Amino acid sequence: MLTRRSLLLTPVAVTLARLKLPELPRFLRWGKPVERLVVDHPGTTLALAAMRPPRHFSTFSLWRSVADMTAMVHGHGPDVPGPGGPLSAAVHVRAMAEQSRRDFHHESAFMRFRPRSEHGTCLGRSGWLPS
């Protein structure tokens, strides 16, 4: 259950997936706008992705609040600037609908965590978590 306090906690979102190779073009078509939305979203403090070609990929994003992350997942919240004009907050909802229509993945896991502490640096800096 989301409480007022839990909506303010800094969440981490992690995705792990093994793509169906024939679905790679569809996945890229639907996934690239979502990637841009997450990277440029004002509620994201860090967003990373990794791929082990040709089928394995993962994402890691750190959010300012559960409310920011949840709003993005459900297509609410701000549009973000993009090279071809503003990118609608609804791109994630449309990509999830396409995923439901025909699965991109053999296996996938979408996980959410609350970090307990931060140690070391990432991309040359520390202090990603609010104090």
Side-chain angles (χ1 to χ4, degrees):
M1 178 172 115
L2 291 179
T3 64
R4 186 178 187 153
R5 176 170 155 60
S6 70
L7 288 174
L8 301 175
L9 298 173
T10 301
V12 172
V14 177
T15 302
L16 303 170
R18 187 168 62 96
L19 290 170
K20 296 176 180 176
L21 282 181
E23 301 300 329
L24 182 60
R26 274 183 60 246
F27 173 76
L28 293 174
R29 179 174 166 249
W30 289 94
K32 289 304 277 181
V34 174
E35 176 185 14
R36 203 167 89 231
L37 177 67
V38 172
V39 168
D40 294 337
H41 195 283
T44 306
T45 59
L46 177 65
L48 305 169
M51 185 167 188
R52 187 174 133 212
R55 32 173 112 233
H56 297 88
F57 81 93
S58 62
T59 66
F60 175 92
S61 56
L62 184 61
W63 293 81
R64 295 187 193 289
S65 70
V66 172
D68 284 336
M69 181 185 68
T70 304
M72 186 282 302
V73 166
H74 296 290
H76 308 295
D79 294 347
V80 299
L87 182 63
S88 168
V91 298
H92 190 266
V93 172
R94 291 193 295 265
M96 288 190 313
E98 181 64 14
Q99 161 77 8
S100 293
R101 186 183 73 78
R102 194 169 87 221
D103 205 341
F104 302 121
H105 310 106
H106 284 292
E107 301 173 287
S108 58
F110 306 94
M111 300 168 280
R112 308 296 177 252
F113 301 96
R114 182 173 51 110
R116 296 183 66 178
S117 62
E118 176 182 347
H119 303 277
T121 62
C122 180
L123 302 175
R125 70 169 261 213
S126 60
W128 293 101
L129 297 178
S131 44

